[in-house]
């Protein structure tokens, strides 16, 4: 079992603190229960630490093909274990 972190998005960036807290709590819970945790948050940020805008469709919340490509690259190694 793996938990996937909440992703950053342009549309909900104002809630960044809440998302970071959620991801931290989820990662800690997973560690205590010996469950995997997959961080998709950091790979979706640019050098300034903000969501990469090109990963989202027009609503700035849902990912496009580029966003899912990052998820594939991040998640694939866990599926091969």
């Amino acid at each position: 079992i793996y938990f996937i972190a909440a992703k950053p998005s342009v549309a909900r960036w104002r809630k960044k603190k809440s998302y970071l807290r959620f991801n931290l709590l989820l990662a800690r819970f997973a560690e205590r229960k010996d469950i995997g945790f997959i961080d998709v948050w950091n790979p979706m940020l640019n050098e300034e630490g903000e969501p990469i805008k090109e990963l989202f469709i027009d609503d700035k919340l849902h990912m496009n093909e580029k966003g899912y490509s990052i998820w594939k690259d991040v998640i694939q190694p866990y599926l091969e274990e």
Side-chain angles (χ1 to χ4, degrees):
I1 296 174
Y2 292 95
F3 287 131
I4 299 174
K7 68 173 173 51
S9 69
V10 178
R12 295 193 177 144
W13 195 237
R14 68 188 178 283
K15 297 181 178 189
K16 174 185 173 184
K17 279 185 172 182
S18 295
Y19 278 88
L20 288 172
R21 178 88 174 130
F22 172 78
N23 284 340
L24 177 64
L25 292 172
L26 188 61
R28 287 180 179 168
F29 176 80
E31 186 177 340
R32 283 195 320 269
K33 299 296 183 179
D34 199 27
I35 297 171
F37 177 78
I38 302 174
D39 175 24
V40 295
W41 179 275
N42 288 299
M44 296 183 71
L45 300 178
N46 62 23
E47 294 170 358
E48 288 78 36
E50 298 174 344
I52 300 169
K53 295 176 183 175
E54 294 78 22
L55 302 179
F56 300 91
I57 63 173
D58 291 339
D59 68 4
K60 298 178 181 157
L61 176 63
H62 297 94
M63 295 184 296
N64 60 26
E65 190 173 324
K66 291 178 186 177
Y68 283 108
S69 179
I70 287 178
W71 275 45
K72 179 183 177 248
D73 292 343
V74 172
I75 295 170
Q76 186 70 38
Y78 294 92
L79 300 177
E80 294 172 355
E81 290 181 356

